[in-house]
Amino acid sequence: CALPIWQDEAYWISQGIISVHPKNSINGLIMDIGGGSTEFIQVQHSEPLACFSFNAGVSLLKERFPISTIVNENSLITVLKFLDDLMTPLLKLNLVSEVLYGAAGVFETFQELAATRYLNSTDLLETSLVLQICKDVFESTEAERNAWLGLIPMRRSTILQSALLLHWVFTRISLKHLKIETAALKEGL
């Protein structure tokens, strides 16, 4: 990608994931959810084609939309509209991708929730399961989520925002699977 400096992080995240796979094997969209930003990288044959960095990290979303308990329909619509507007450049690509590669962090938490709540211990989650976990997050109270096995303490305060981001991407882009990756930025540097 020919990148402005503020999208440099996205490029190095892609390199981290690409580095742990066989040559030319990554085709799809990479997503990294951070505290201050969320990155997307379109990759074909392990080559980054487009990189995006949006000011939509979990901490920023939590600050802008202070939802801590059950997500009602109006709150969901408001957040999704905000993300639609913010991430218009990504949506304009009209991407169709078999796989969303999730860069470590919260994606590993989703993998743990899939394993503990749905007995799915693979690193490849179907879209329907991802959306079901998001729904579980939206329909649970903070106290209920805090008691879930697989939801580690450091992710408890922002799992709701992570679920909002994943719900957005899986309802806006044609995806079949979420592939959980253990690599991310540090492996790309």
Side-chain angles (χ1 to χ4, degrees), residues 2 4 15 17 21 46 54 67 83 111 127-128 140 149 153 161 180:
Q15 295 308 293
I17 290 175
H21 286 276
S46 298
F54 298 104
I67 306 165
L83 294 173
Q111 183 180 20
T127 294
S128 59
S140 61
L149 295 175
Q161 291 72 26
I180 313 298

Side-chain angles (χ1 to χ4, degrees), residues 29 95-100 127 169-171 173-178:
L29 187 65
L95 293 172
V96 176
S97 176
E98 291 274 321
V99 180
L100 176 73
T127 294
V169 75
F170 275 91
T171 58
I173 297 174
S174 181
L175 298 160
K176 292 186 178 181
H177 306 283
L178 170 61

Side-chain angles (χ1 to χ4, degrees), residues 14 16-30 43-48 97-99 101 179 181:
S14 74
I17 290 175
I18 290 166
S19 74
V20 298
H21 286 276
K23 188 175 181 173
N24 298 323
S25 67
I26 300 293
N27 293 293
L29 187 65
I30 295 172
V43 179
Q44 186 175 24
H45 304 297
S46 298
E47 289 294 325
S97 176
E98 291 274 321
V99 180
Y101 297 89
K179 172 77 169 74
E181 296 293 335

Side-chain angles (χ1 to χ4, degrees), residues 138-160:
F138 298 158
E139 294 178 350
S140 61
T141 65
E142 186 174 14
E144 290 168 335
R145 290 189 299 270
N146 287 343
W148 287 353
L149 295 175
L151 183 55
I152 60 173
M154 73 178 282
R155 300 272 179 232
R156 288 179 183 160
S157 66
T158 56
I159 191 64
L160 189 77

Side-chain angles (χ1 to χ4, degrees), residues 71-134:
V71 177
N72 63 41
E73 189 68 23
N74 288 338
S75 296
L76 182 60
I77 289 168
T78 300
V79 174
L80 295 178
K81 171 76 171 105
F82 168 79
L83 294 173
D84 285 342
D85 292 344
L86 181 68
M87 299 191 200
T88 297
L90 178 66
L91 294 176
K92 284 184 176 180
L93 291 180
N94 294 317
L95 293 172
V96 176
S97 176
E98 291 274 321
V99 180
L100 176 73
Y101 297 89
V106 72
F107 295 99
E108 293 169 313
T109 298
F110 260 68
Q111 183 180 20
E112 285 299 314
L113 291 174
T116 58
R117 297 180 64 75
Y118 294 97
L119 304 177
N120 181 332
S121 58
T122 69
D123 64 356
L124 191 66
L125 307 182
E126 300 286 332
T127 294
S128 59
L129 180 54
V130 173
L131 291 173
Q132 181 59 54
I133 294 170
C134 291

